[in-house]
């Protein structure tokens, strides 16, 4: 596997995890979750991968000190923080 294809796998996995978090939070379809993630990326002018990393990090209770950009984390906390704070399970199982 080349470095590029390995990076593509990591990127896709990150996006899939973020979609999974949104499915769990919203009870929506994978397509709707991906659309929400893409809309978040567009609205806050961050990349899709940054949006994905930020919602996964936010779900895990992490902050921007954990390698996710500050703008992406702030926007994730703004959009999804209230939903996540209502959850008893902080998604610790999300790797």
């Amino acid at each position: 596997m080349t470095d590029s294809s390995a990076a593509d796998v990591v990127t896709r996995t990150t996006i899939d995890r973020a979609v999974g978090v949104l499915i769990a939070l919203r009870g929506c379809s994978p397509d709707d979750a991906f659309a929400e993630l893409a809309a978040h990326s567009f609205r806050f002018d961050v990349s899709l991968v940054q949006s994905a990393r930020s919602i996964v990090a936010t779900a895990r209770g992490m902050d921007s000190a954990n390698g996710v950009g500050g703008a992406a984390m702030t926007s994730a906390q703004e959009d999804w923080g209230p939903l996540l704070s209502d959850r008893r399970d902080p998604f610790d199982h999300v790797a």
Side-chain angles (χ1 to χ4, degrees):
M1 188 178 296
T2 66
D3 287 343
S4 175
S5 61
D8 290 345
V9 169
V10 169
T11 297
R12 186 68 221 170
T13 300
T14 302
I15 292 169
D16 287 344
R17 287 178 180 155
V19 167
V21 169
L22 289 171
I23 290 169
L25 288 173
R26 301 272 193 215
C28 62
S29 72
D31 288 341
D32 288 345
F34 183 83
E36 181 175 345
L37 187 64
H40 174 270
S41 175
F42 181 78
R43 186 171 55 254
F44 290 99
D45 194 27
V46 296
S47 75
L48 186 64
V49 174
Q50 288 174 312
S51 289
R53 286 181 181 147
S54 66
I55 190 170
V56 171
T58 300
R60 294 177 76 194
M62 301 170 122
D63 58 25
S64 60
N66 293 294
V68 179
M73 282 301 293
T74 300
S75 63
Q77 290 164 347
E78 182 179 319
D79 263 8
W80 300 301
L83 286 171
L84 290 164
S85 67
D86 290 343
R87 304 283 301 193
R88 287 188 202 132
D89 175 8
F91 297 101
D92 287 334
H93 60 280
V94 178

